[in-house]
Amino acid sequence: MIETQESYPEIRDSVRRLCIQFPGEYWQALDRERTYPSAFVRALTEAKFLSVLIPEAFGGFGLGLGAATAILEEIHRSGCNGGACHAQMYTMGTLLKHGSEAQKQHYLPKVASGELRLQAFGVTEPDAGTDTTRIRTFARRSGDNYIVSGQKIWISRAEHSDLMVLLCRTTPRAACAKPSDGMTVLLVDMRDAVGNGLTIRPIRTMLNHASTELFFDDLVVPTANLIGEEGKGFRYILSGMNAERILIAAECIGDGRFFIDRATAYAKDRNVFGRAIGENQGVQFPIARAHVQLCAAAGMVDRAAHLFDAGLDGGTEANMAKMLASEASWYAADMCVQTHGGFGFAEEYDIERKFRETRLYQVAPISTNLILSHVATHALGLPKSF
Ligand SMILES: Cc1cc2nc3c(=O)[nH]c(=O)nc-3n(C[C@H](O)[C@H](O)[C@H](O)COP(=O)(O)OP(=O)(O)OC[C@H]3O[C@@H](n4cnc5c(N)ncnc54)[C@H](O)[C@@H]3O)c2cc1C
């Protein structure tokens, strides 16, 4: 293993010890069948790792994003995948920041204990794509209820969540002063909703990510489940996205370290032409380059987490961290396959699985072009292109 100066050493050590119980064979079997890692998620929940961001007053650890990034990085470095449950850590942020006191008292202690899974986040729609202001899922007010109709796509873990943070329109885009007005956040109780106006259809993808499509057909959601004020939902969702980007970036750092650890060990061990392949600079240099790129990206992730925890405006840094980390992990993934030659393609080595998994992060939760556009216009003051 490559030595690095580590934050939260005790937390990292506990995560590593937990992850050892979920070796490659565990993930390979789930990946083959595209099934959910229930035992792994249960173990993380019982160890309270998913509640680190919830304040102590609501039963969590009340730690910052720095601790959460350490947890997710170690999960990924160990060869495991936090994608099955990372949203249990941060989706509650919308409720914590914008929910009423009664909502927080009602839900957060149960989310902290794991009794309630709040790990579905419904934003993306097939016709809107990245242009969130064009979502069309509509919540119409009827007495003490909203009646929701529409469709969402790519919603992760919807089948494994008790609650979902849902963004929908309550005023048509054309009737709003600004396109980002008129959107509202509702907390949907999936246990009541499925079969009563909500249909979940799984989507099989190149990785085991519990992806689904959601169809809303006059789903009834009580107005008591409105988060914050009607029409201001876009702002609430945006504020949670920075945390998500930083945490996903930490997963990329973990993936990158996994690939570098594996490639380094293999390059030392594998003998061809009478010597270790790692003696060849043609093999060494890509591994070293991956390490350099990953260390640089990790520095940006730490900076973004620090700004977030300090309550400072770090939106640009969160985006830059996600972009650098996802590109560094992808370079490391490609390098690791190359270093392993044919064995990089063998299921039992876990490299091909991790290679597929880490590719996601240049597309979701936000694609690289959109990050570049943000940096160009927000950090550099270049003209907007859309
Ligand atoms: C496995 C998986 C899990 C996901 N989980 C969730 C989830 O839980 N909840 C949720 O709400 N969403 C989820 N998503 C959706 C994800 O956030 C989107 O796929 C992502 O933001 C990209 O949006 P899109 O797929 O609509 O691409 P599009 O917006 O259609 O864009 C397609 C491509 O065109 C580029 N592009 C578009 N417009 C421009 C432009 N103006 N300039 C330059 N380039 C542009 C984009 O960068 C992208 O590369 C998930 C997606 C995947 C694949």
Side-chain angles (χ1 to χ4, degrees):
M1 254 192 200
I2 292 159
E3 291 305 321
T4 48
Q5 197 185 352
E6 290 180 335
S7 58
Y8 299 95
E10 294 88 8
I11 290 182
R12 287 177 187 270
D13 189 51
S14 310
V15 175
R16 280 182 206 131
R17 280 190 277 112
L18 184 150
C19 288
I20 285 172
Q21 298 163 44
F22 299 92
E25 299 79 41
Y26 173 76
W27 296 98
Q28 289 155 24
L30 295 168
D31 192 66
R32 247 174 259 135
E33 304 297 330
R34 294 291 193 272
T35 39
Y36 189 73
S38 302
F40 176 69
V41 174
R42 201 176 315 116
L44 282 178
T45 307
E46 283 167 5
K48 299 255 186 255
F49 287 130
L50 303 179
S51 68
V52 284
L53 296 174
I54 300 179
E56 284 176 288
F58 298 113
F61 276 122
L63 296 174
L65 221 48
T69 58
I71 291 168
L72 291 174
E73 182 188 320
E74 288 307 325
I75 288 174
H76 280 247
R77 186 176 192 167
S78 302
C80 302
N81 191 316
C85 52
H86 54 202
Q88 178 80 0
M89 279 182 166
Y90 59 76
T91 312
M92 64 81 207
T94 310
L95 183 59
L96 180 63
K97 275 198 185 153
H98 307 288
S100 68
E101 201 49 42
Q103 287 171 328
K104 289 193 260 187
Q105 294 290 352
H106 182 69
Y107 292 111
L108 288 179
K110 290 180 185 159
V111 175
S113 71
E115 187 185 332
L116 283 179
R117 297 165 304 169
L118 169 49
Q119 52 178 4
F121 183 61
V123 175
T124 308
E125 296 190 7
D127 294 333
T130 313
D131 187 358
T132 305
T133 67
R134 293 192 189 272
I135 63 165
R136 291 201 302 218
T137 295
F138 202 88
R140 173 173 53 83
R141 188 85 183 243
S142 170
D144 288 340
N145 294 309
Y146 286 102
I147 311 295
V148 182
S149 291
Q151 191 183 341
K152 296 279 173 189
I153 194 165
W154 301 123
I155 309 310
S156 308
R157 304 164 295 271
E159 294 170 296
H160 306 281
S161 291
D162 302 305
L163 300 168
M164 171 170 62
V165 166
L166 176 71
L167 185 70
C168 42
R169 277 224 162 262
T170 37
T171 309
R173 191 177 189 269
C176 294
K178 284 193 293 174
S180 57
D181 290 345
M183 284 181 272
T184 296
V185 172
L186 299 178
L187 192 63
V188 175
D189 193 322
M190 307 293 272
R191 298 162 299 177
D192 299 338
V194 175
N196 293 309
L198 172 61
T199 306
I200 305 179
R201 190 187 296 162
I203 309 175
R204 195 177 165 90
T205 64
M206 72 187 256
L207 73 165
N208 186 17
H209 202 80
S211 302
T212 67
E213 213 173 349
L214 307 181
F215 299 89
F216 300 90
D217 184 11
D218 288 343
L219 171 72
V220 176
V221 179
T223 51
N225 289 21
L226 167 70
I227 305 288
E229 283 180 54
E230 190 179 293
K232 297 200 172 158
F234 187 67
R235 261 160 278 171
Y236 303 160
I237 291 287
L238 275 190
S239 70
M241 283 178 169
N242 287 338
E244 180 182 45
R245 284 169 203 178
I246 297 166
L247 292 170
I248 299 285
E251 295 189 339
C252 295
I253 298 299
D255 280 347
R257 295 202 196 286
F258 167 89
F259 292 123
I260 293 165
D261 291 344
R262 290 294 181 98
T264 305
Y266 191 76
K268 286 179 186 165
D269 191 51
R270 171 76 169 164
N271 270 275
V272 182
F273 294 110
R275 60 181 180 170
I277 58 168
E279 286 181 33
N280 303 299
Q281 289 187 328
V283 175
Q284 278 178 9
F285 285 4
I287 305 175
R289 183 178 294 276
H291 179 63
V292 171
Q293 291 179 354
L294 202 81
C295 288
M300 183 56 80
V301 177
D302 284 348
R303 179 170 159 70
H306 175 75
L307 289 173
F308 188 94
D309 285 341
L312 299 168
D313 177 19
T316 298
E317 284 77 5
N319 276 293
M320 294 198 296
K322 208 285 280 181
M323 177 179 142
L324 288 174
S326 63
E327 291 185 349
S329 74
W330 178 241
Y331 177 83
D334 192 47
M335 169 283 291
C336 193
V337 169
Q338 198 68 20
T339 304
H340 280 75
F343 288 107
F345 296 83
E347 191 183 271
E348 65 169 296
Y349 276 68
D350 288 313
I351 290 155
E352 61 82 33
R353 171 176 62 81
K354 277 280 183 189
F355 177 91
R356 286 183 278 116
E357 289 174 358
T358 214
R359 182 62 183 83
L360 172 66
Y361 297 130
Q362 287 175 84
V363 171
I366 180 81
S367 59
T368 303
N369 275 359
L370 272 291
I371 292 178
L372 290 171
S373 166
H374 171 94
V375 172
T377 55
H378 286 74
L380 305 177
L382 286 162
K384 287 192 167 196
S385 59
F386 54 87

